Amino acid sequence: MKSLEQRCVEHGLSMGRKRRLIIRVLSEAEGHLSAADLHRRVVALDRSISLATVYRTLTIFEEIGVLKRLDFGDRTMRYEEADKTPHDHLLDMTDGGVVEFQAPEVAALLAEVADRLGYRLKGYRLDLYATPVADR
Amino acid sequence: MKSLEQRCVEHGLSMGRKRRLIIRVLSEAEGHLSAADLHRRVVALDRSISLATVYRTLTIFEEIGVLKRLDFGDRTMRYEEADKTPHDHLLDMTDGGVVEFQAPEVAALLAEVADRLGYRLKGYRLDLYATPVADR
DNA sequence: ATAATTGCAAATGTTTTGCATATCG
DNA sequence: CGATATGCAAAACATTTGCAATTAT
């Protein structure tokens, strides 16, 4: 699988030391990072990297399709790798945790719904809010 | 159906002139209003009503369950009446329009998906992004 | 050398808040 | 009167941007 860096080069981005560092942190990170999250981690390795750079990098990476921007309804955007298999999010209301899941049937149904309305589905955004079932 | 004002009284809110005015504008409005939208309309009737009051009113109304807060991913929150029949939103990518639709099958499927993950579905948020089909 | 990237501080845009004043019950 | 609600200006935030300085190619 192509590395983030390779994909940057393909898009004609120059690869400075700081950008490399951000890429490294991104590659090692799990889950859904906000700009502040990422900045915190990156600053731990090089305290000269500014928040503005982190924002600019995230924006660029979203534009070249390396990251996907997530919006969970609080007012901070989060990012995740774009090339993961498509999935949606279930938000655990008891602890704020995020469970990822795949549901091809859902996508199929949504496409059909859009079709009924006279539209072609280009994408969707689905977040489930749920509480864990006790017995298990 | 209970009026907004009735529901406010039930929650022990006092009903000043300005709040009544905001309620009136809200009742007559259609669709998904932002705080700025609402303020614009309200100010047309009484230019002494501040944006802060509009925000405070929206927050209160959401807390007492009269309004539902919507987040379409741009960074301004919108509100709609909470007691409308449940529905989701399809966003027309060509003109930014919002089409509301009902899809009980979707809700049913989502509940089942949550169940498979060991959760009980409490709510969800679904936005479809789509383009109109030309021929029709 | 030329173009891309960055830090900093200032600017944005939305929403919230402290406090004194006005209004409600 | 005591409790709420409001206006105003300032504060909070997340995010973006202008510009001069640094780094990449």
Side-chain angles (χ1 to χ4, degrees), chain B:
Chain B
M1 147 93 86
K2 258 175 229 166
S3 72
L4 287 194
E5 183 164 339
Q6 281 175 309
R7 303 188 56 180
C8 288
V9 173
E10 283 171 17
H11 283 271
L13 300 181
S14 42
M15 292 297 303
R17 203 186 96 267
K18 302 193 177 191
R19 179 166 291 164
R20 276 203 180 78
L21 209 163
I22 293 177
I23 288 179
R24 176 144 59 89
V25 171
L26 269 178
S27 309
E28 290 167 1
E30 302 266 310
H32 314 100
L33 295 188
S34 66
D37 291 336
L38 180 54
H39 184 239
R40 225 174 291 118
R41 300 189 188 193
V42 144
V43 154
L45 304 177
D46 176 345
R47 68 186 52 247
S48 83
I49 293 177
S50 77
L51 183 55
T53 293
V54 168
Y55 271 107
R56 283 190 275 233
T57 305
L58 288 173
T59 302
I60 290 172
F61 282 11
E62 200 215 343
E63 284 166 0
I64 69 175
V66 165
L67 293 181
K68 207 165 90 182
R69 186 181 198 156
L70 306 175
D71 170 7
F72 289 144
D74 58 350
R75 3 207 108 53
T76 49
M77 297 300 177
R78 303 215 160 63
Y79 293 82
E80 68 178 10
E81 287 185 44
D83 42 10
K84 291 175 57 177
T85 40
H87 62 272
D88 300 303
H89 298 105
L90 181 151
L91 287 81
D92 185 327
M93 298 168 80
T94 65
D95 66 2
V98 180
V99 178
E100 300 186 347
F101 65 92
Q102 288 180 255
E105 337 117 67
V106 173
L109 177 55
L110 297 181
E112 190 195 313
V113 168
D115 191 68
R116 285 209 294 267
L117 297 167
Y119 286 84
R120 178 181 316 287
L121 186 67
K122 293 296 182 183
Y124 66 90
R125 163 169 162 185
L126 171 64
D127 301 318
L128 305 187
Y129 298 91
T131 53
V133 173
D135 64 272
R136 191 45 59 163

Side-chain angles (χ1 to χ4, degrees), chain A residues 69 71-73 75 77 90 92-93 99 101 105-106 109-110 113-133 136, chain B residues 69 71 73 75 77 90 92-93 99 101 103 105-106 109-110 113-133 136:
Chain A
R69 186 180 198 155
D71 171 7
F72 289 145
R75 346 202 125 57
M77 297 301 178
L90 180 152
D92 186 327
M93 298 167 78
V99 178
F101 65 92
E105 338 118 67
V106 173
L109 177 56
L110 296 181
V113 167
D115 191 68
R116 284 209 293 266
L117 297 167
Y119 286 85
R120 180 182 314 289
L121 187 67
K122 293 297 180 183
Y124 65 89
R125 159 173 166 186
L126 172 63
D127 301 319
L128 306 187
Y129 298 91
T131 52
V133 174
R136 216 339 113 138
Chain B
R69 186 181 198 156
D71 170 7
R75 3 207 108 53
M77 297 300 177
L90 181 151
D92 185 327
M93 298 168 80
V99 178
F101 65 92
E105 337 117 67
V106 173
L109 177 55
L110 297 181
V113 168
D115 191 68
R116 285 209 294 267
L117 297 167
Y119 286 84
R120 178 181 316 287
L121 186 67
K122 293 296 182 183
Y124 66 90
R125 163 169 162 185
L126 171 64
D127 301 318
L128 305 187
Y129 298 91
T131 53
V133 173
R136 191 45 59 163

